[in-house]
Amino acid sequence: MLAGLGAVGVASAGAGLGTTAYFSDDESFEGNTLTAGELDLKMDYRMTYRGGPGRLAELQENYPNATFVDEDMEPTDDDTGVYLLDQVPNRSEYPGAEDWVIGANGVYDPETGEGEGFQRDELIDAGDLEDALIRIGDVKPGDYGEVTFSTHLYDNPGYMWMGGMLTDENQNGYTEPEIEALEEMGDPTDDPDGDGQLADSIRAKIWYDDNCDNVHQGERDEESEGVDVMLSIDNSGSMGGGPGSKMEQAKAAALDFVENLGPNDRVGLVTFESTGQLRQGLTSTHSNVETYLQPEPAGISDAGRTMMDAGIDLAADELNDNGRSGVDEVIILLGDGEPNESDRAGSDHVQNAKDAATDAKNDGITVFTIGLGVSNGSTAQNTLIDMASSSNGTTLYYDSPTGTDLDDIYSQISSVILTGEEVIAEGTLREVMGALEEGIELDANVQTEDRVCFTNSVTRCFGFEWELPTTVGNEVQTDSVEFAIGFAAEQCRHNDGETNPYAIDAGGNTTDGGNVTQA
């Protein structure tokens, strides 16, 4: 892995103008300063390995903090044969997957010292790692490993690329069973210092891990019956009105989401302020919902307080009463503040909202929540986090500090529940590294035609998995491979994203002009 930092430059200019006569005066414009902005790409990651029981002590020689994890990626004392090898950051208060993701989703504010998010200095430049990230020996057929990388752009939005390459592969001599297997395959056995067969035997895949759960949500079958999804949108007074308001941002992003639904998908809409309203029940006529999401003066508008429990209960009731058997049922709730009204009995509005979400989840409904402009570590944010469902230990909460990234967030949710998370490259390890060697453009919103920059406010995840299939036999004994995976970012402003930092020109040089941050 390679790493670099964006340069920071300072230029200053002073200008003075004066005249001297019987009357004198001096006028000056001093201390004029232009300061170059920063583009800094940082990473965090979680790495797991399924290598069978009884290997913890062996793995801890390379990964001192390796632990067993259960089905939900939570640390356990049981010998599960599944290991959490490493993670960055590695705080003691984030021992488990769910708490770790809350930290990754949050944003720490260095000016106020507030927020549950990871701090910038806790994250890594990959080049600062003292050891290779993946360093596992004694790999057997059936072994599987996965790393989810999370990227953090600081200071500026950026175009992003992913690159990689095979850096070394070795036969490491032959064992007697290996020679026998290779001869049966018709492969030569006269090159003990050659490359070996491991790079062609390992299967690998890289994808947009849009819910950061370390698992690839595959493409949906074209014959699928679709999904029943209820949108629940906060339209309280704090959402505001007029161009650029949170209300208009929420409607525009939800409208794009509805327009991307398939013919077998049904959608409905609930809004909540001082009361909750079922605006549209589940329907295959998506335009019925789109009517409510038009820019003002059409569509829904802001008013009143925040009855969030009704926003969940009305959506869940519609799914329970009119949902289709065997079809995934989903609520996507967007809120911008703390609940301060309840439809349920009692005056604990926050607990009522959480209870409503718990009831929905107990009914088999998946609940996604989006925090629009909520303060980090606030009751509003923590309530939305607690309300969200969990997938493989990952909390399905998405944070949108400014609203400018709502389209990208709905796109990520769409990838999880509608289209499947997009694969970046897959095949043998050699094929995947070959695809990455020339650099692959990454896109913050794969549902749009044009490539979209990654914002500097939202964590994005990319999964990498490898597996040595059980169909592989003795032909790979003692073989080893080494490879590199990297990410690069270039500021969006004044760039078109056409300069691939991993591309190689005829002279064997990369084509970027040195303005790219790599990790």
Side-chain angles (χ1 to χ4, degrees):
M1 293 186 170
L2 306 175
L5 290 174
V8 181
V10 178
S12 63
L17 174 64
T19 60
T20 302
Y22 291 109
F23 299 101
S24 64
D25 189 15
D26 291 305
E27 304 286 353
S28 62
F29 299 88
E30 299 175 351
N32 302 292
T33 303
L34 298 173
T35 304
E38 293 184 66
L39 177 65
D40 193 6
L41 174 60
K42 295 284 190 179
M43 310 289 294
D44 68 75
Y45 61 83
R46 286 182 65 88
M47 178 165 51
T48 58
Y49 172 50
R50 298 177 183 269
R55 298 195 62 194
L56 183 61
E58 171 197 342
L59 291 168
Q60 285 176 333
E61 293 182 6
N62 275 330
Y63 299 96
N65 295 318
T67 57
F68 298 122
V69 288
D70 61 21
E71 293 180 355
D72 294 322
M73 298 289 295
E74 296 290 339
T76 175
D77 293 331
D78 298 330
D79 186 352
T80 60
V82 182
Y83 308 88
L84 171 61
L85 296 183
D86 194 15
Q87 63 183 14
V88 167
N90 204 346
R91 290 188 190 178
S92 59
E93 64 263 38
Y94 289 125
E98 185 168 351
D99 289 337
W100 182 86
V101 171
I102 291 172
N105 283 345
V107 177
Y108 175 80
D109 187 340
E111 293 185 2
T112 64
E114 297 178 348
E116 289 195 67
F118 298 147
Q119 299 178 33
R120 184 168 177 169
D121 58 7
E122 291 182 295
L123 306 178
I124 63 164
D125 290 310
D128 292 339
L129 291 173
E130 296 181 358
D131 299 300
L133 195 62
I134 301 173
R135 46 190 192 278
I136 302 175
D138 194 25
V139 173
K140 297 288 197 297
D143 282 9
Y144 168 91
E146 197 275 345
V147 186
T148 288
F149 302 97
S150 303
T151 59
H152 304 255
L153 281 174
Y154 283 92
D155 305 304
N156 280 287
Y159 290 107
M160 287 184 57
W161 293 261
M162 192 172 186
M165 67 177 69
L166 280 175
T167 57
D168 196 17
E169 48 183 327
N170 291 287
Q171 182 74 58
N172 295 319
Y174 297 108
T175 65
E176 183 179 342
E178 185 179 9
I179 291 176
E180 183 177 342
L182 291 172
E183 287 177 343
E184 289 181 1
M185 297 169 59
D187 288 352
T189 59
D190 58 353
D191 189 7
D193 298 320
D195 291 342
Q197 289 72 41
L198 194 55
D200 296 305
S201 300
I202 291 175
R203 301 295 300 180
K205 178 164 60 179
I206 298 172
W207 71 96
Y208 292 89
D209 193 4
D210 286 318
N211 61 353
C212 301
D213 70 346
N214 303 83
V215 175
H216 178 230
Q217 274 71 39
E219 292 185 13
R220 193 171 58 172
D221 191 332
E222 292 183 0
E223 303 300 321
S224 166
E225 296 182 16
V227 64
D228 286 344
V229 55
M230 290 296 298
L231 300 177
S232 182
I233 298 177
D234 184 346
N235 70 321
S236 61
S238 59
M239 292 287 285
S245 66
K246 288 187 283 187
M247 188 76 261
E248 293 304 303
Q249 290 174 328
K251 287 195 294 183
L255 180 61
D256 285 344
F257 174 85
V258 174
E259 290 175 345
N260 283 315
L261 293 173
N264 295 331
D265 300 320
R266 299 195 305 167
V267 64
L269 175 65
V270 166
T271 60
F272 57 94
E273 29 106 357
S274 295
T275 61
Q277 296 185 59
L278 176 63
R279 303 281 187 160
Q280 172 62 54
L282 288 166
T283 178
S284 298
T285 307
H286 303 157
S287 58
N288 290 353
V289 173
E290 292 170 2
T291 299
Y292 291 100
L293 303 176
Q294 299 304 311
E296 70 170 20
I300 55 178
S301 57
D302 66 299
R305 292 165 66 81
T306 306
M307 188 181 283
M308 195 172 288
D309 60 347
I312 288 287
D313 282 334
L314 288 172
D317 289 345
E318 176 64 15
L319 288 167
N320 287 328
D321 294 342
N322 299 311
R324 295 169 290 175
S325 176
V327 172
D328 289 340
E329 297 181 336
V330 175
I331 295 173
I332 305 174
L333 181 141
L334 178 147
D336 82 323
E338 181 180 337
N340 52 27
E341 288 283 356
S342 291
D343 190 45
R344 293 186 169 213
S347 58
D348 191 338
H349 310 305
V350 168
Q351 190 60 48
N352 284 341
K354 293 179 182 180
D355 290 344
T358 297
D359 290 344
K361 289 181 283 189
N362 289 339
D363 289 336
I365 298 169
T366 301
V367 179
F368 291 81
T369 60
I370 303 172
L372 176 55
V374 297
S375 300
N376 293 304
S378 64
T379 301
Q381 186 184 63
N382 290 332
T383 300
L384 291 167
I385 290 171
D386 289 342
M387 291 171 66
S389 294
S390 178
S391 173
N392 199 36
T394 295
T395 303
L396 300 180
Y397 167 75
Y398 295 78
D399 199 56
S400 179
T402 65
T404 57
D405 41 41
L406 277 178
D407 280 342
D408 300 346
I409 288 173
Y410 274 103
S411 172
Q412 291 176 71
I413 296 174
S414 178
S415 294
V416 174
I417 66 174
L418 298 177
T419 61
E421 293 169 334
E422 183 163 312
V423 172
I424 296 169
E426 66 178 328
T428 66
L429 182 62
R430 185 185 306 279
E431 290 168 342
V432 169
M433 291 302 133
L436 291 178
E437 191 164 358
E438 297 182 2
I440 295 177
E441 293 180 350
L442 300 176
D443 192 348
N445 189 337
V446 297
Q447 295 184 351
T448 60
E449 183 175 345
D450 296 328
R451 184 182 179 198
V452 175
C453 280
F454 288 80
T455 70
N456 55 321
S457 58
V458 175
T459 296
R460 295 300 298 269
C461 294
F462 305 89
F464 167 73
E465 67 178 19
W466 62 269
E467 180 178 16
L468 187 60
T470 55
T471 54
V472 175
N474 291 330
E475 66 270 18
V476 299
Q477 281 197 23
T478 72
D479 293 3
S480 62
V481 294
E482 295 181 8
F483 56 98
I485 296 174
F487 295 84
E490 177 184 61
Q491 72 173 34
C492 292
R493 188 156 44 117
H494 306 312
N495 289 300
D496 56 12
E498 296 296 324
T499 304
N500 182 347
Y502 294 103
I504 306 298
D505 63 22
N509 303 307
T510 57
T511 59
D512 75 88
N515 297 315
V516 175
T517 294
Q518 295 185 328

